[in-house]
Amino acid sequence: AQSVTQLDSHVSVSEGTPVLLRCNYSSSYSPSLFWYVQHPNKGLQLLLKYTSAATLVKGINGFEAEFKKSETSFHLTKPSAHMSDAAEYFCVLNTDKLIFGTGTRLQVFP
Amino acid sequence: ETGVTQSPTHLIKTRGQQVTLRCSSQSGHNTVSWYQQALGQGPQFIFQYYREEENGRGNFPPRFSGLQFPNYSSELNVNALELDDSALYLCASSLGTPTFETQYFGPGTRLLVL
């Protein structure tokens, strides 16, 4: 079965500290993986995508993710959190349709 | 902003009624996908339309149906509404079937069923 598991439902960080949002996947095939962000009352926005090229993927707003096949993981990181990063983040497995994780709510404190 | 628009933004219906949600895709995109996002959950795939034909369906009953028009805009119809249909409904457009194509999401329609 193909699935995505986001390991934390909530993550809280202070502004200026690193962000780590964890995602594990299960796929019978070589996966295509995305991270999307959802701000309140806004549509989902693509942060970055992995499609079997470089394993370290850089996205918008300073985010990056590393694909690790041995660990079946695709964790999202950012060196320094900003208040505007507060949002819901979704790890997504792309098969013939998008399979979303349950989401991680990121809170950023001043 | 992605260029994908949805209407209406909010809707209140009662059980048993029917509802139609609309989506205008980004210019040049010929594929539209619909998702249901229940409160506190990730979006779940309902179905996809490519060049006016259904091109894949998730685990939703037949009372969820759709259409895609020649201009590639789309409708989602839900018959015999149930309380559990209360959710945010998202549409996403892309160019071609989105195996590796980026899907661009609209802001959603929030449906409340009483």
Side-chain angles (χ1 to χ4, degrees):
Chain A
Q2 306 201 76
S3 64
V4 167
T5 302
Q6 292 184 243
L7 300 169
D8 308 291
S9 58
H10 290 85
V11 169
S12 297
V13 301
S14 297
E15 192 174 23
T17 64
V19 175
L20 170 64
L21 306 183
R22 299 183 295 165
C23 172
N24 286 353
Y25 69 90
S26 174
S27 177
S28 306
Y29 312 101
S30 182
S32 173
L33 291 157
F34 301 160
W35 276 98
Y36 276 86
V37 62
Q38 186 175 37
H39 287 94
N41 301 316
K42 296 269 183 77
L44 288 155
Q45 181 184 20
L46 180 68
L47 276 179
L48 49 80
K49 63 179 176 181
Y50 167 76
T51 55
S52 76
T55 56
L56 183 62
V57 183
K58 293 189 184 300
I60 62 172
N61 301 334
F63 284 94
E64 62 182 35
E66 186 171 10
F67 174 74
K68 292 187 177 179
K69 186 176 180 179
S70 61
E71 299 176 9
T72 61
S73 69
F74 189 57
H75 300 336
L76 181 70
T77 61
K78 182 173 181 178
S80 176
H82 192 273
M83 295 295 291
S84 61
D85 294 329
E88 189 87 18
Y89 291 80
F90 292 97
C91 182
V92 183
L93 177 64
N94 189 15
T95 60
D96 55 345
K97 59 179 186 281
L98 297 186
I99 299 173
F100 283 77
T102 51
T104 298
R105 181 164 297 278
L106 175 65
Q107 285 186 301
V108 182
F109 294 105
Chain B
E1 300 297 325
T2 62
V4 179
T5 60
Q6 293 186 244
S7 63
T9 55
H10 296 80
L11 204 51
I12 300 174
K13 291 284 188 179
T14 55
R15 272 186 305 174
Q17 285 188 312
Q18 178 265 345
V19 69
T20 297
L21 310 182
R22 294 178 175 82
C23 172
S24 290
S25 57
Q26 186 164 313
S27 177
H29 286 182
N30 54 16
T31 304
V32 173
S33 303
W34 285 91
Y35 297 83
Q36 181 196 64
Q37 185 177 15
L39 201 60
Q41 301 293 319
Q44 296 216 357
F45 175 72
I46 303 174
F47 45 56
Q48 178 189 103
Y49 279 83
Y50 172 61
R51 292 186 175 179
E52 302 178 58
E53 298 283 334
E54 188 176 292
N55 183 47
R57 188 178 183 92
N59 189 26
F60 281 81
R63 60 190 185 83
F64 285 78
S65 63
L67 279 175
Q68 187 179 32
F69 299 100
N71 66 355
Y72 302 130
S73 66
S74 178
E75 285 182 356
L76 164 65
N77 298 290
V78 187
N79 292 323
L81 283 166
E82 301 177 0
L83 296 180
D84 285 348
D85 296 333
S86 295
L88 180 68
Y89 288 85
L90 298 163
C91 79
S93 75
S94 58
L95 181 60
T97 52
T99 304
F100 294 108
E101 292 297 324
T102 299
Q103 294 192 34
Y104 295 87
F105 284 82
T109 293
R110 191 165 294 282
L111 173 65
L112 177 61
V113 182
L114 301 175

